[in-house]
Amino acid sequence: MIEVKNISKTFGDRTVVSDVSFVFETGKTNLIIGESGSGKTTILKMMVGLLKPDTGAVEYDGRVFSEMNERQQQDVRKEIGMLFQGGALFDSMTVEENVAFPLRMFTDFKEEQIKERINFCLNKVKLENRNQLYPAELSGGMKKRASLARAIAGNPKYLFCDEPNSGLDPRTSLVIDDLILELTTEFNMTTVVITHDMNSVMQIGQKVMFLYGGKKWWEGDNKGVLTTTNKEVLDFVYASEFLKQLKPGLK
Amino acid sequence: MIFMFHIGRYFLLLKRAFSKPQKFRVYRKQFFFEINHIGISSLGIISIISIFMGGVVTTQAAFGFTSAWVPIYAVGFTTRESIILEFSPTIVSLLLAGKVGSNIASEIGSMRISEQIDAMDIMGVNSASFLIMPKILAAVFINPFLITISMFLGLLGGYTMGVFTGAVSSVQYITGIQYGFMAWKIWYALFKTAIFAFIITSIAAYNGYYTSGGALEVGKSSTRAVVWSSILILLADLLITQIVFTH
């Protein structure tokens, strides 16, 4: 379980995140949704320690991450896997080397064990026999899957996904969403997904936090998103004229 | 004020870069990779430049020494002193600041803007240490070898040019390069080279590591790395020369 408690972040005179608290539950896909610029990525960066919150705390199963020194944070981070928006695969390494990187860095596995784990992870994300390809040779969806394989290689307790569907076609997006849900359930991870893709929300939104103007505006699940009376949530969900027609009475 | 900020951040980055390696085996592999990437791959351009440099110095010396009071073997002597003391360690290091420095800054800068460094940090890897330390150590280790080769090729280039154009005879040139030879000058040049290697790699890595923005900023970081490392190489050269030759 990850808990954020009253976290805030200001850049210059602009408050990007304001007093947000939320509990990200274990074994569930926890989604942070909201418009562009609503503070989603800033919250995620504070959660993984790339940014330090101005106020508040981030706790990983009771361990106050935001108060730790760099070494202690590195130890917690070994339990984290992250899928970046652009994949963030290491260009100079093959898919196999990318997946093996955290294993070679943090485990004493023998080469056969590493090889076995690489194949297991690549099979999980349905990237068999792509071991020797470089990131530049992969499609957008394949990059995301390879990145997901790298994220789960170290058997993480916590999985973060930053806009996993951006730049992907709807069908590939569904594949990625299914993978995230499947891995979360199978490995009982605490998964945090940042998205503004409504298909993802409906597909994997077991717990949802809606951000608006840097504040937590609403929380619930994928069913609640459709039935809420919160105007800002409804404006977000039914953004297009086409969708508005599906919700009579919505202006 | 901004200058002090950069100096402070540079030394803090070096402190992080030289913290204890998280996995010695991985770092060792990276070190050997960088030796090849930074050092061996520069051998071609260093060889070409050194041969031509030696040739030019010999030619200029031969045409410059017109007085009957100056023995002709002074051409070899001048070539040796110029090549060993200055051309090989300093000029080749300036060349490497352009080639290797820009390469390191743009490589690390691209990794920064494409979130690859963030990915390392989130995995729990000390990205500064993993990316920077092997590069600095590899350059400090391999550059003196490259410069030694450059010295040899420079003298060879001078010999070839001098003898084949008839500016100096083979015997006179060899007499010249042996005349008054002091071995410590080689060590002095190699010491300078190691310092320059540290400057090139650390300045380039600093500029790359703190790149923010997009492709344009990567280009700017790369340019800044070359400009600053060149200036610092010349400054360090002046200081080291002043210390060694006046004490």
Side-chain angles (χ1 to χ4, degrees):
Chain A
M1 181 180 79
I2 308 170
E3 197 170 356
V4 293
K5 292 179 174 172
N6 310 101
I7 54 169
S8 301
K9 187 73 189 173
T10 302
F11 295 106
D13 55 359
R14 202 166 66 92
T15 301
V16 180
V17 175
S18 175
D19 197 30
V20 172
S21 299
F22 195 69
V23 175
F24 299 88
E25 291 177 24
T26 305
K28 281 190 177 176
T29 44
N30 303 269
L31 270 60
I32 304 176
I33 63 169
E35 295 167 357
S36 298
S38 58
K40 304 184 296 291
T41 302
T42 306
I43 288 183
L44 185 127
K45 284 186 173 176
M46 286 193 280
M47 290 176 74
V48 296
L50 291 178
L51 287 174
K52 194 170 169 55
D54 294 335
T55 59
V58 178
E59 292 185 11
Y60 284 79
D61 290 311
R63 295 170 291 174
V64 188
F65 182 73
S66 46
E67 298 296 316
M68 293 175 179
N69 64 30
E70 198 180 333
R71 270 259 176 228
Q72 291 166 324
Q73 284 195 344
Q74 277 174 1
D75 287 337
V76 174
R77 281 167 169 171
K78 287 170 195 167
E79 300 170 4
I80 293 175
M82 180 147 175
L83 168 60
F84 281 83
Q85 194 174 346
L89 292 167
F90 305 130
D91 292 332
S92 58
M93 299 181 192
T94 61
V95 168
E96 180 175 298
E97 287 165 342
N98 264 282
V99 179
F101 186 76
L103 301 173
R104 294 207 168 106
M105 210 68 196
F106 299 121
T107 69
D108 292 320
F109 286 180
K110 292 193 170 68
E111 273 308 306
E112 309 88 74
Q113 290 172 298
I114 289 175
K115 196 91 182 163
E116 205 174 295
R117 182 73 188 160
I118 291 166
N119 290 330
F120 171 80
C121 293
L122 290 178
N123 282 344
K124 274 278 162 217
V125 299
K126 297 168 184 66
L127 263 186
E128 304 91 346
N129 306 320
R130 300 286 198 277
N131 302 41
Q132 299 308 322
L133 293 181
Y134 281 89
E137 298 170 298
L138 302 176
S139 67
M142 285 159 88
K143 274 183 193 166
K144 296 263 166 113
R145 282 186 278 157
S147 183
L148 198 52
R150 185 181 65 183
I152 61 166
N155 220 354
K157 285 168 77 176
Y158 316 100
L159 178 66
F160 290 87
C161 306
D162 185 11
E163 304 202 9
N165 305 307
S166 68
L168 299 181
D169 64 85
R171 192 183 283 272
T172 312
S173 288
L174 285 176
V175 172
I176 298 288
D177 285 341
D178 285 342
L179 271 172
I180 292 170
L181 187 61
E182 186 188 318
L183 294 168
T184 303
T185 312
E186 190 175 339
F187 301 119
N188 197 35
M189 293 186 289
T190 306
T191 298
V192 180
V193 180
I194 283 191
T195 188
H196 40 54
D197 184 300
M198 277 314 294
N199 288 326
S200 284
V201 177
M202 301 319 296
Q203 185 88 353
I204 61 171
Q206 294 176 324
K207 196 168 178 193
V208 180
M209 167 168 69
F210 176 77
L211 287 179
Y212 186 74
K215 294 189 172 108
K216 185 175 83 174
W217 212 254
W218 179 89
E219 72 173 90
D221 60 17
N222 50 0
K223 293 179 185 71
V225 160
L226 297 176
T227 55
T228 180
T229 53
N230 187 301
K231 184 183 177 307
E232 282 74 22
V233 177
L234 290 174
D235 282 348
F236 176 77
V237 174
Y238 299 99
S240 72
E241 289 303 320
F242 172 74
L243 287 171
K244 275 178 187 160
Q245 289 169 16
L246 301 176
K247 183 85 173 171
L250 189 73
K251 289 186 181 176
Chain B
M1 197 60 196
I2 189 79
F3 189 64
M4 294 307 289
F5 166 77
H6 283 295
I7 290 175
R9 198 167 62 160
Y10 169 75
F11 282 108
L12 285 174
L13 181 68
L14 284 185
K15 189 180 161 216
R16 275 186 67 206
F18 283 94
S19 56
K20 189 175 167 235
Q22 289 169 297
K23 195 83 171 185
F24 186 73
R25 196 175 48 183
V26 177
Y27 276 63
R28 190 181 54 199
K29 192 178 164 201
Q30 197 66 11
F31 171 75
F32 285 112
F33 171 80
E34 295 296 353
I35 281 182
N36 183 47
H37 186 59
I38 291 174
I40 311 297
S41 69
S42 305
L43 202 52
I45 182 78
I46 287 175
S47 302
I48 292 167
I49 286 188
S50 302
I51 291 169
F52 278 86
M53 220 160 53
V56 169
V57 171
T58 301
T59 307
Q60 285 182 348
F63 282 95
F65 297 153
T66 50
S67 168
W69 296 101
V70 180
I72 199 70
Y73 66 77
V75 172
F77 174 80
T78 307
T79 304
R80 185 199 73 203
E81 290 292 287
S82 308
I83 294 281
I84 289 179
L85 291 178
E86 217 46 53
F87 280 97
S88 281
T90 309
I91 303 297
V92 172
S93 290
L94 286 171
L95 170 89
L96 289 174
K99 183 186 177 288
V100 175
S102 64
N103 181 282
I104 290 174
S106 54
E107 179 192 323
I108 297 179
S110 301
M111 289 184 76
R112 168 62 75 194
I113 64 162
S114 60
E115 296 181 310
Q116 292 175 50
I117 293 180
D118 289 345
M120 275 186 194
D121 286 333
I122 288 169
M123 279 177 203
V125 175
N126 179 347
S127 59
S129 173
F130 179 78
L131 291 173
I132 299 172
M133 183 163 63
K135 285 182 176 29
I136 294 178
L137 293 181
V140 169
F141 174 77
I142 197 70
N143 281 20
F145 288 101
L146 295 178
I147 298 306
T148 308
I149 293 169
S150 163
M151 289 172 184
F152 172 76
L153 292 175
L155 293 176
L156 188 69
Y159 174 87
T160 310
M161 193 68 183
V163 171
F164 281 92
T165 58
V168 61
S169 73
S170 172
V171 173
Q172 283 166 331
Y173 185 83
I174 290 168
T175 305
I177 61 171
Q178 289 176 334
Y179 181 78
F181 175 71
M182 285 179 276
W184 69 266
K185 286 184 181 174
I186 300 266
W187 296 114
Y188 152 77
L190 296 182
F191 172 72
K192 275 205 307 191
T193 301
I195 300 287
F196 298 160
F198 183 87
I199 290 171
I200 293 166
T201 43
S202 63
I203 296 290
Y206 171 77
N207 279 284
Y209 197 81
Y210 288 111
T211 301
S212 59
L216 192 66
E217 280 73 20
V218 174
K220 283 180 183 170
S221 293
S222 178
T223 306
R224 253 196 320 270
V226 176
V227 170
W228 276 105
S229 50
S230 300
I231 291 170
L232 289 172
I233 284 171
L234 294 173
L235 195 65
D237 189 27
L238 195 69
L239 280 173
I240 297 166
T241 307
Q242 187 71 16
I243 291 166
V244 171
F245 282 86
T246 58
H247 289 84

